[in-house]
Amino acid sequence: MAAGIVIGPRSSPGRYDAVVVGGGHNGLVCAAYLARGGMRTLLLERRETLGGAMATAEVSPGASVPVLAHTVGRMRPSIARDLDLAGEGLRLVQPEVRAVSVRPDGPPIALFGDPARTATELASISRHDAAAWIELDRRVSSLAGVLGRLAGQTPPDPSSPRLDDALGAMRIGLGYRGLAAEDRRELLRVLPMAVADFLGDHFETDALRALLSIRGMRFSSLAPRAAGSTQQLLADSAGNGGGLAGETVYARGGPGAMAAALVSAARRLGAELRTGVEVTQVRENGGRATGVVLASGEEIEAGIVVSGVDPKRLLLTMLDPESLGPHLGWQAGNYRSAGVTAKVNLALSDLPAFAGLDTDETRARLRGRIVVAPSVSYLDRAADAAKYGRFPTDPWLEATIPSLVDPLLVDRARDSGVRHVMSVVLQSAAYSLREGGAEAWDGRRDELGDVAIRVLETVAPGIGGLVVGRQVLTPLDLERDYGMTGGHPLHGEPSLDQWFAWRPMLGLAQYRMPLEGLYLCGSGAHPGGGVTGVPGRNAAREILADRNRARRSGRR
């Protein structure tokens, strides 16, 4: 028996109905749905903890911060209800402010959940932008609603269409026809647009356009003028009430609390969870997956295998190349999954002082996402650094101070002088640097942390003197520690050529992989994204449907 921790009672020896590889949030969601559907399900995780990058780590003794994801607002409410995550102790907090842009040469720009309040705030900067806000917020919510419905469907397979594909196309068409005529035309126009151009059609304030543009770029290598980045902005609002301002929701106890709730739900529904065990190979026989092989040599039999790891890792390292074939091997090798995201977590002795946010009322705006992206041209230059593999000297940042919303994150650290924690996503850190490749990050990790502090100093002078603990995660760390090939948090670029029926690639978008009985449930599957749980739920739906079809066929 391989070493590892069993969470929940161990099932009796024998063959499992399903083995899920990877204990990230999508793997946990998929395992929970499969167990709820009556399948004897085992989930295997390489790390000693479950939740993947949706975890909470200590940056200083007693001070906890999110490993990667700031907030959990994109988790689909329907999934939380299905799995009764509230009953497992999950508590969510949504501040009134969604995001605030802080800049060295102008007043902060705050976005609120209430569009009218945002418009009132914008009036002091631009009456034109204030007047445009409410209508564009309505339109973005409407267009995002279509993408939200699209996210819940299984993409068609153009190479082998089925009746289900035709029915899905009808549902998509009905959702599209439900839009106002003007919005129907707008959806077709804007999906392939660059987000900077889309926003430039409506707003005149460069800093506002930059603040909103990052929602079309976050966790990807897309630039503000890259085709398809508007689709990313709309997808970020799909399935939630974020609208144009975006969603900001915290879990009490950090993202790790949501992971814990998913673990409890999966256990309650009957799934067995094992940690500290690494899957190295998918077993197969006669073109069908029959189980997995662990690094220890242990073999586990299963009727189906579900992969929560990224598609590149699955296809190129866990399958026999002969089963993959030369063409699919070539496609998998060209699947783009080189990330540009790094993370800097800070323990602070006091709340930083941001220019223009120096009263109790304005400091409340720090409860949302804090963005350092002064202009669209700044974003362009940052994207260029990543594109050409240069070390990022002027990255754009998106940060949160979760201890403002959840003081318990630092409660045990107060005796050591920690009053707040700050979670900083640093964008434009290429996975492979021009000088030294990916391995160069091992020698430049501290330098990257220093860059984040220097950029923060431009908008919060003196913050460097408040830092009492620091953790820096480079793209290489995300690959090594969390199994993300290329350090990509989304398991692959979300650009239009790797979206919907092309995610992860044409012919494999229906969650079914090249071997019969092998499925994909992670963020590399449709609809991708961050912490939504939708790929895991959709994959489970297809697996259960295939099981039911097989049973009916057997009866006949």
Side-chain angles (χ1 to χ4, degrees):
M1 176 63 66
I5 299 172
V6 179
I7 302 177
R10 185 187 296 276
S11 301
S12 58
R15 191 170 185 266
Y16 290 91
D17 294 325
V19 167
V20 179
V21 181
H25 72 281
N26 277 309
L28 289 166
V29 166
C30 187
Y33 274 100
L34 293 179
R36 191 179 76 156
M39 299 187 75
R40 187 171 177 233
T41 303
L42 170 67
L43 180 144
L44 303 171
E45 166 57 37
R46 177 176 63 93
R47 293 169 56 84
E48 297 295 341
T49 57
L50 293 163
M54 191 184 67
T56 305
E58 283 197 341
V59 66
S60 181
S64 299
V65 289
V67 168
L68 185 59
H70 292 311
T71 64
V72 297
R74 295 193 64 211
M75 173 63 76
R76 292 297 190 268
S78 58
I79 295 175
R81 289 192 298 270
D82 284 349
L83 304 182
D84 189 20
L85 298 186
E88 300 297 345
L90 180 65
R91 298 292 180 266
L92 302 177
V93 182
Q94 184 178 53
E96 291 183 0
V97 65
R98 300 292 173 82
V100 60
S101 170
V102 287
R103 44 199 179 126
D105 57 353
I109 301 175
L111 308 179
F112 297 86
D114 178 4
R117 183 174 179 186
T118 300
T120 300
E121 291 275 329
L122 290 176
S124 63
I125 299 172
S126 166
R127 293 190 178 277
H128 173 275
D129 293 349
W133 181 269
I134 291 180
E135 170 56 23
L136 188 58
D137 177 77
R138 181 207 64 78
R139 179 162 292 178
V140 164
S141 296
S142 177
L143 301 182
V146 176
L147 294 193
R149 291 188 289 274
L150 200 68
Q153 297 185 27
T154 299
D157 182 358
S159 64
S160 181
R162 305 181 305 171
L163 176 60
D164 288 349
D165 295 334
L167 293 175
M170 288 178 61
R171 287 191 290 269
I172 294 170
L174 289 172
Y176 176 72
R177 287 180 62 84
L179 293 173
E182 186 177 358
D183 287 349
R184 289 201 299 270
R185 293 192 297 270
E186 186 73 351
L187 181 63
L188 295 177
R189 185 180 78 90
V190 305
L191 279 181
M193 280 185 72
V195 69
D197 294 336
F198 171 65
L199 296 167
D201 284 348
H202 301 276
F203 299 122
E204 64 181 11
T205 304
D206 190 25
L208 176 61
R209 295 197 297 262
L211 169 59
L212 296 170
S213 289
I214 69 165
R215 296 184 56 217
M217 304 166 57
R218 188 192 294 123
F219 297 137
S220 80
S221 62
L222 293 172
R225 303 190 191 280
S229 47
T230 297
Q231 181 271 327
Q232 272 298 101
L233 182 150
L234 296 176
D236 195 51
S237 291
N240 60 64
L244 186 55
E247 191 64 280
T248 302
V249 177
Y250 298 91
R252 291 270 185 206
M258 176 166 278
L262 287 171
V263 168
S264 295
R267 290 177 55 191
R268 169 173 45 80
L269 292 167
E272 180 181 327
L273 315 176
R274 289 178 61 185
T275 62
V277 287
E278 181 178 3
V279 175
T280 58
Q281 182 182 349
V282 175
R283 290 181 52 187
E284 61 178 284
N285 184 17
R288 179 176 181 87
T290 60
V292 296
V293 180
L294 306 185
S296 65
E298 178 187 356
E299 298 188 7
I300 299 175
E301 292 185 50
I304 68 165
V305 176
V306 191
S307 172
V309 304
D310 68 82
K312 200 161 193 172
R313 183 177 297 267
L314 169 68
L315 296 172
L316 296 181
T317 70
M318 294 185 177
L319 298 187
D320 187 328
E322 289 188 8
S323 300
L324 198 61
H327 180 69
L328 191 52
W330 170 79
Q331 285 183 295
N334 287 320
Y335 178 74
R336 290 179 293 109
S337 60
V340 298
T341 303
K343 185 71 189 298
V344 180
N345 294 318
L346 304 174
L348 304 172
S349 60
D350 205 349
L351 184 66
F354 288 86
L357 300 172
D358 51 4
T359 66
D360 288 343
E361 179 186 0
T362 55
R363 275 194 292 267
R365 298 173 188 189
L366 296 174
R367 293 162 63 91
R369 292 173 282 113
I370 304 164
V371 174
V372 184
S375 66
V376 172
S377 61
Y378 183 95
L379 295 176
D380 266 326
R381 291 192 297 272
D384 281 346
K387 177 180 178 181
Y388 295 110
R390 298 194 295 264
F391 184 84
T393 55
D394 294 292
W396 64 264
L397 310 179
E398 183 183 66
T400 59
I401 307 177
S403 49
L404 282 172
V405 176
D406 187 4
L408 290 178
L409 291 171
V410 296
D411 190 54
R412 294 184 296 110
R414 294 187 183 280
D415 290 343
S416 59
V418 177
R419 295 293 180 271
H420 287 284
V421 288
M422 191 174 200
S423 168
V424 184
V425 170
L426 183 152
Q427 196 92 3
S428 69
Y431 166 71
S432 181
L433 293 176
R434 184 171 56 188
E435 298 179 1
E439 292 73 18
W441 282 117
D442 282 335
R444 307 194 74 171
R445 185 178 293 104
D446 287 341
E447 186 181 354
L448 188 64
D450 292 342
V451 166
I453 297 297
R454 178 180 57 74
V455 174
L456 286 170
E457 284 277 357
T458 65
V459 294
I463 190 174
L466 304 178
V467 176
V468 295
R470 185 172 84 176
Q471 176 194 48
V472 180
L473 296 174
T474 69
L476 182 61
D477 294 324
L478 295 179
E479 178 178 67
R480 285 191 302 214
D481 298 345
Y482 296 94
M484 301 172 182
T485 299
H488 206 303
L490 303 182
H491 288 195
E493 275 299 293
S495 51
L496 289 175
D497 64 317
Q498 294 185 171
W499 176 70
F500 193 49
W502 294 267
R503 189 164 189 88
M505 55 197 72
L506 194 64
L508 298 183
Q510 296 188 307
Y511 310 99
R512 299 168 183 88
M513 293 291 101
L515 296 179
E516 186 179 355
L518 177 63
Y519 298 82
L520 185 68
C521 74
S523 292
H526 171 73
V531 183
T532 68
V534 178
R537 181 193 62 186
N538 289 359
R541 181 188 63 226
E542 294 303 309
I543 292 165
L544 293 170
D546 285 351
R547 180 197 62 173
N548 292 337
R549 277 191 288 266
R551 285 178 172 176
R552 289 194 298 270
S553 176
R555 282 197 297 270
R556 287 195 296 269

